Each structure stands twice: as structure tokens, then as C-alpha cells.
Amino acid sequence: MVESNMIIEEVTPQSGDYKIAKDIRERVLRKPLGLTFTEQDMAEDQADIHFIMKDPANGVVAGTVVMKPLSDSNWRLRQLAVEPKYQGQNIGGFLTRHCEGFARQKGAQKVILHSRLNVVKFYQNMGYVSVGEEFYEVGIPHFRMEKVL
Ligand SMILES: CC(C)(COP(=O)(O)OP(=O)(O)OC[C@H]1O[C@@H](n2cnc3c(N)ncnc32)[C@H](O)[C@@H]1OP(=O)(O)O)[C@@H](O)C(=O)NCCC(=O)NCCS
């Protein structure tokens, strides 16, 4: 997909588009691991900032990402998920860069994330570096990755 056509929207956890994005997260991130949303996940979502990207051709929600402030200088990017049929069309990269711009505007100096092992290369391409040892989260290996803005 051509980046000039991509539009990212911020949505609230009360909106219909948030529910569609949550469904993508459920199918793409949780279901393959045999997991589902917990009460704690839902509570965390209420406090965080949600972005979606829609296919400009038909308005279908193609991808989503969640941001949260950790401190004045650090923001965390989490739950990046692209609908399978839209993967490999620059949407994940575009959502990631959007989050970086958003965090920078808020005064952040760094974006931090926990990358699944199989996606480390994707984030390296985006300029993130891994920090520290591999660790387990949701039952699979992860690396903490950071990008100085
Ligand atoms: C990982 C994910 C978010 C990437 O989004 P995407 O829209 O498919 O990726 P893009 O098209 O923006 O890819 C950008 C670049 O990263 C590369 N890339 C994408 N996924 C990759 C992966 N898993 N491993 C290595 N490189 C990857 C692409 O080839 C592309 O490189 P290029 O610019 O040199 O061609 C998406 O595939 C996804 O939702 N995967 C399943 C959920 C997941 O694992 N989320 C991350 C949790 S930590």
C-alpha cells in the first residue's frame, strides 16, 4: 500500500473501530498462543492510546497499535498487529513510525517495546536495538528493544 494513501486515526476504547482493532489483536497476537483477553488486559487498554489504520479503498481496519507513556521521556509501543491479508504492505512500518512521531510530539526521547523473537528483525529494520537478555512473556521468547528518537 502506498504510504501517501495511509491515514491513521486515534480511537477510544468506547468506539466501534476499537472493537474491530481488538478483534485483530485477539486473532493475530493471542489466539495463535491459545490466549484471550483478560480483565487485566482490558483495564490496561482503558488507560492507553489506540491507533488504527484503515484501508483507504474500503474503510476496513487493516492494522492497529497501542501506545502508553512510561515516563516523561519514555513511551512504550505495544500490540502492533496487522490483519493477515494486509501484512507485508508497509502498514506495520507506517504504524510504528506514526507512534514514534506521536511520542516525539509528547516530548519523548525513547520508544521501548517487547518484541517477539520472530519479529526482532522487523524492529531492527525500523531502527530499534535490543537491550538485555531474552525473556519470556505470554509463554514465548521476547527481547526488549529501544529506539532513541
Ligand atoms: C510484524 C507485523 C506487525 C509487521 O507488519 P507488516 O505490515 O506486515 O510489515 P511491513 O510491510 O510494514 O514491513 C516492513 C519491513 O519489515 C519486514 N518485515 C515484516 N515482518 C517481518 C518479520 N516478521 N520479520 C522480519 N522482517 C519483517 C518487511 O519485509 C519490510 O521490509 P522492507 O521494508 O525491507 O521490505 C505484522 O506482520 C504482524 O501483525 N505480524 C503478526 C503479529 C506480530 O507478531 N506483532 C508484533 C508483536 S511484537
Side-chain angles (χ1 to χ4, degrees), residues 28-36 116 137-140 142:
V28 170
L29 293 170
R30 284 178 170 68
K31 211 169 162 206
L33 303 179
L35 300 173
T36 188
R116 296 174 179 203
E137 199 171 75
V138 293
I140 55 169
H142 278 75

Side-chain angles (χ1 to χ4, degrees), residues 28-29 80-82 87-93 116 118-119 122:
V28 170
L29 293 170
L80 176 65
V82 176
Q87 288 178 11
Q89 297 181 51
N90 301 321
I91 292 170
R116 296 174 179 203
N118 63 319
V119 193
F122 165 78

Side-chain angles (χ1 to χ4, degrees), residues 119-145:
V119 193
V120 163
K121 191 114 199 324
F122 165 78
Y123 288 117
Q124 280 172 344
N125 282 350
M126 302 294 305
Y128 288 77
V129 291
S130 56
V131 178
E133 300 291 312
E134 180 185 285
F135 62 94
Y136 274 71
E137 199 171 75
V138 293
I140 55 169
H142 278 75
F143 280 91
R144 177 186 163 108
M145 299 188 80

Side-chain angles (χ1 to χ4, degrees), residues 15-43:
S15 68
D17 282 339
Y18 162 79
K19 290 184 180 66
I20 295 169
K22 185 168 155 266
D23 177 64
I24 295 174
R25 289 162 55 196
E26 178 104 50
R27 282 184 288 107
V28 170
L29 293 170
R30 284 178 170 68
K31 211 169 162 206
L33 303 179
L35 300 173
T36 188
F37 275 90
T38 63
E39 298 252 322
Q40 195 187 335
D41 292 331
M42 302 298 290

Side-chain angles (χ1 to χ4, degrees), residues 99-111:
C99 287
E100 292 163 6
F102 178 84
R104 201 180 292 116
Q105 274 191 347
K106 297 283 182 187
Q109 286 156 18
K110 203 188 271 183
V111 172

